[in-house]
Amino acid sequence: MAVRIAWSLSLLVIVHATAAASKSAARIWPRQYADTPLSTPECIEKSLSNPSWYIVSPMMVTVNASTGGTIGDLQFLATNTATGSTALCDKRDFDLDPHDPVAQDEWHSCNVTDLAFQFRLAAFEMRLKGSWRCGANSSFIFSGGGPWEEPLVQGCIDNDQGKRGEETLCIMGNSQVSAALTSPVAITPQLPILPYTPSETYRRCPDRSTDPEWIIDKFAFQHHLSRVYNATKESFDLFLNLTSISSNETVPCSIAVDQRTGAAAKGTSLWVKCRETPRNGSRISETEVMLDPEYGILGVRQAWNCTDRIEGIDPDKYSGTGFLVTSLQCGSPMNVTLRDSQNREIGIKTDYNCTLPPSPSGDPIRFSGYSPEAPTMPHTLYSRSCTIGSLLNATSIDLRDYRIQSTTFTPGYNKTGVLVLGTFNLTNPGSGDTYQLEQIPISPDGLWHECVPGAERGLPWQLVDCQYLLDRKAGRIGFKLQWYCDDRDPNHAILFNATATANLPIETCGKIFESPPSEICTLRDALKLPVVSLTWEASSGPMDRGPILPWL
């Protein structure tokens, strides 16, 4: 196949001079690109975020292409963006367009270990695959591959005096390979799709609505938590003054959210309509707000009209979705003891207030969004990667709260029994999440049992499965945890499995003289349980749980 494309005279002279100087199309050495090694953390971040190779100075020679010949040479430089290392891929005198099934599966090696390419002349398709390690001491070997992104031919020239016959030299444009990972996890990483922030405020409402923005100038958050006997209630009230830059209108918005609903237990952050109804003549027809205090995510969804009185050009109705990522600044909890009519303690109520941190400039907080909706996003913050953290930091599970309550009861005549319930607070440094496990029936036989929390709450949404082991006499405790991460590839979540065990320290126990009597045992200090086994696998689809979070 002879490919001929018009080029400038300067390029023609350079290519012709090179071909004439080596009448047998000898090796053409391109520029040498110095390796730029990255640190191990940077390499791992790039490997799991955007694994790729830059393809530099590719060139191809075909022999007797005008008469159907497919033998030739291919040469290019490939720079791994994660490691910063550059390899030379140079294959000579091979079939550029094989039709034999065995030959079609053949990969041609480059001058570094575990890097190879394929080339199909007829379709002009190229593929690259390779493996790499981030630092000599890294425990992970990354593997992946993918196609070149449109390797365009910039120009070709024929040399009729070649030793092998008519040789056609083609210079191709630089390219890139965005790799799909096959190891350590099978995912196709996706880069964040961030909203565009306009550099100026447009005069027309339709122009402003293409890239919606909002301003918050008032914000008040009140969190409420009460525990009465074994019943827990958790909710919050939120108020904010919201200005839409698109519609140039300010609306007040207040919501109330019950955090113990079924949706909240599954981790789904609720979109709640503002209590205030739009005033007469308002451009804004609807406002919804979502808040996830644990992850510090505030979401806004609005629908509005643009009445610029220009018929048939711009639509009248618009909508947009925006997210503000921030950490709430909260005051100290205010604890109030709850008592019954006979002044007996029956529970505790804990409230606290929060505000948004002020902007560095002191101006009202301003953030941009998507029109009309945000793209598919993961359930964990891209800036606090659950995937990377789980692979690298899941070396222990921290037990921050341990409470075993043993209650003696009388199930029948002349019989007594003991009901043992456990409450645990676990922190997973890998995913960055904290799991609160409440009122789990305990079998202290030293065997593995499913975590079955009280029916009111269920397992934390981050956990797919949980098992515990508790042998109080022998002094052993352990947990088997399964959790999802999808912040590298939202369409293919990763399921992690970790087993952590440790020796159980001496408990501190005390009696509660009530009817029926109980004994409560705790630990003096937090306990670190080393992870003795960690495995992972890519799922076939996205997560069906968790808050709706922006990809940042």
Side-chain angles (χ1 to χ4, degrees):
M1 181 185 74
V3 183
R4 293 175 174 82
I5 297 179
W7 48 48
S8 66
L9 179 60
S10 60
L11 175 59
L12 174 61
V13 171
I14 294 172
V15 174
H16 180 75
T18 306
S22 58
K23 295 192 177 183
S24 61
R27 188 188 311 271
I28 300 173
W29 293 102
R31 288 179 54 192
Q32 297 298 309
Y33 288 82
D35 292 349
T36 307
L38 275 68
S39 66
T40 297
E42 290 175 322
C43 176
I44 293 173
E45 170 70 30
K46 274 191 171 292
S47 298
L48 286 165
S49 303
N50 184 27
S52 58
W53 290 272
Y54 291 140
I55 307 301
V56 181
S57 301
M59 51 190 78
M60 175 190 69
V61 174
T62 59
V63 180
N64 299 325
S66 59
T67 58
T70 60
I71 299 299
D73 313 329
L74 185 65
Q75 181 189 77
F76 58 91
L77 293 174
T79 300
N80 188 312
T81 59
T83 63
S85 61
T86 299
L88 172 65
C89 301
D90 185 8
K91 181 69 175 178
R92 300 174 58 79
D93 292 315
F94 75 107
D95 192 350
L96 296 169
D97 198 32
H99 296 284
D100 179 76
V102 176
Q104 286 184 336
D105 289 336
E106 183 180 2
W107 289 84
H108 309 291
S109 298
C110 301
N111 72 334
V112 297
T113 306
D114 297 328
L115 184 63
F117 69 92
Q118 285 182 335
F119 180 57
R120 300 288 178 266
L121 184 60
F124 217 74
E125 294 177 349
M126 306 189 192
R127 299 189 66 85
L128 197 69
K129 72 174 183 178
S131 299
W132 64 96
R133 188 191 297 270
C134 291
N137 298 322
S138 175
S139 59
F140 297 125
I141 297 178
F142 293 93
S143 298
W148 288 26
E149 297 176 1
E150 298 184 359
L152 300 177
V153 175
Q154 294 181 336
C156 298
I157 189 169
D158 292 335
N159 176 17
D160 297 330
Q161 306 300 318
K163 290 183 178 180
R164 295 174 291 183
E166 180 190 58
E167 297 183 355
T168 301
L169 170 64
C170 294
I171 306 296
M172 294 177 288
N174 296 341
S175 185
Q176 177 175 304
V177 173
S178 296
L181 285 182
T182 57
S183 175
V185 288
I187 55 175
T188 301
Q190 300 179 30
L191 291 176
I193 303 175
L194 300 179
Y196 172 73
T197 302
S199 58
E200 61 178 309
T201 301
Y202 299 105
R203 295 182 60 186
R204 299 178 65 246
C205 176
D207 297 330
R208 296 195 302 268
S209 300
T210 302
D211 302 293
E213 293 182 276
W214 291 272
I215 291 177
I216 297 177
D217 59 3
K218 290 183 180 179
F219 182 93
F221 173 90
Q222 292 182 324
H223 183 270
H224 312 286
L225 176 67
S226 64
R227 291 188 176 93
V228 179
Y229 298 117
N230 289 329
T232 302
K233 294 182 179 180
E234 187 176 7
S235 64
F236 68 78
D237 295 308
L238 174 66
F239 173 81
L240 66 158
N241 246 13
L242 190 66
T243 299
S244 168
I245 301 297
S246 301
S247 65
N248 195 27
E249 189 174 351
T250 300
V251 295
C253 177
S254 58
I255 64 172
V257 175
D258 183 356
Q259 293 182 272
R260 309 292 288 196
T261 64
K266 205 175 181 182
T268 303
S269 300
L270 302 176
W271 288 95
V272 183
K273 291 184 179 181
C274 301
R275 291 170 174 166
E276 296 79 5
T277 57
R279 58 179 175 80
N280 291 334
S282 173
R283 287 187 172 190
I284 298 174
S285 57
E286 185 176 90
T287 301
E288 292 181 296
V289 174
M290 178 272 286
L291 178 67
D292 189 284
E294 180 181 0
Y295 283 82
I297 304 296
L298 174 66
V300 174
R301 289 201 304 216
Q302 271 190 338
W304 62 91
N305 297 325
C306 284
T307 54
D308 283 354
R309 301 174 183 176
I310 303 177
E311 298 292 337
I313 298 180
D314 298 311
D316 292 333
K317 296 183 178 180
Y318 292 85
S319 61
T321 304
F323 294 98
L324 175 66
V325 183
T326 184
S327 297
L328 299 181
Q329 292 184 344
C330 301
S332 301
M334 297 172 287
N335 297 324
V336 177
T337 300
L338 301 177
R339 300 181 182 277
D340 61 10
S341 58
Q342 299 182 14
N343 202 33
R344 292 177 298 191
E345 183 177 335
I346 59 174
I348 189 171
K349 179 181 179 182
T350 302
D351 290 354
Y352 59 85
N353 298 328
C354 304
T355 61
L356 287 178
S359 65
S361 63
D363 297 328
I365 295 174
R366 182 167 179 163
F367 61 99
S368 57
Y370 308 82
S371 176
E373 296 179 356
T376 301
M377 296 182 179
H379 294 76
T380 48
L381 282 177
Y382 204 87
S383 57
R384 194 198 75 182
S385 174
C386 175
T387 300
I388 297 178
S390 297
L391 286 170
L392 300 178
N393 302 326
T395 57
S396 65
I397 300 296
D398 298 332
L399 179 61
R400 298 187 178 278
D401 186 23
Y402 171 94
R403 177 186 174 95
I404 303 296
Q405 182 173 354
S406 303
T407 302
T408 303
F409 64 97
T410 305
Y413 181 72
N414 288 334
K415 294 182 179 180
T416 59
V418 178
L419 174 63
V420 182
L421 299 176
T423 295
F424 309 102
N425 184 281
L426 304 174
T427 296
N428 183 349
S431 64
D433 293 318
T434 296
Y435 316 127
Q436 182 68 27
L437 306 174
E438 299 179 359
Q439 301 292 306
I440 297 176
I442 296 296
S443 298
D445 54 9
L447 302 177
W448 289 103
H449 299 274
E450 291 288 332
C451 303
V452 185
E456 182 184 355
R457 185 79 183 225
L459 283 178
W461 70 265
Q462 298 96 332
L463 288 181
V464 182
D465 189 42
C466 169
Q467 298 181 44
Y468 73 89
L469 171 154
L470 184 61
D471 190 335
R472 301 171 69 189
K473 291 183 178 179
R476 293 292 295 168
I477 187 171
F479 292 91
K480 289 182 179 180
L481 304 177
Q482 284 187 336
W483 67 93
Y484 267 129
C485 294
D486 74 342
D487 57 325
R488 300 289 120 174
D489 184 351
N491 295 317
H492 301 90
I494 304 168
L495 179 64
F496 287 89
N497 299 269
T499 301
T501 59
N503 293 324
L504 183 67
I506 298 176
E507 301 173 333
T508 299
C509 300
K511 298 286 186 179
I512 298 180
F513 298 100
E514 56 183 20
S515 181
S518 297
E519 180 185 61
I520 295 180
C521 296
T522 60
L523 297 181
R524 185 182 301 273
D525 300 308
L527 178 63
K528 188 178 293 293
L529 285 71
V531 171
V532 297
S533 173
L534 179 67
T535 61
W536 55 83
E537 59 181 316
S539 69
S540 58
M543 289 173 57
D544 61 350
R545 65 187 72 204
I548 302 171
L549 300 180
W551 206 356
L552 299 175

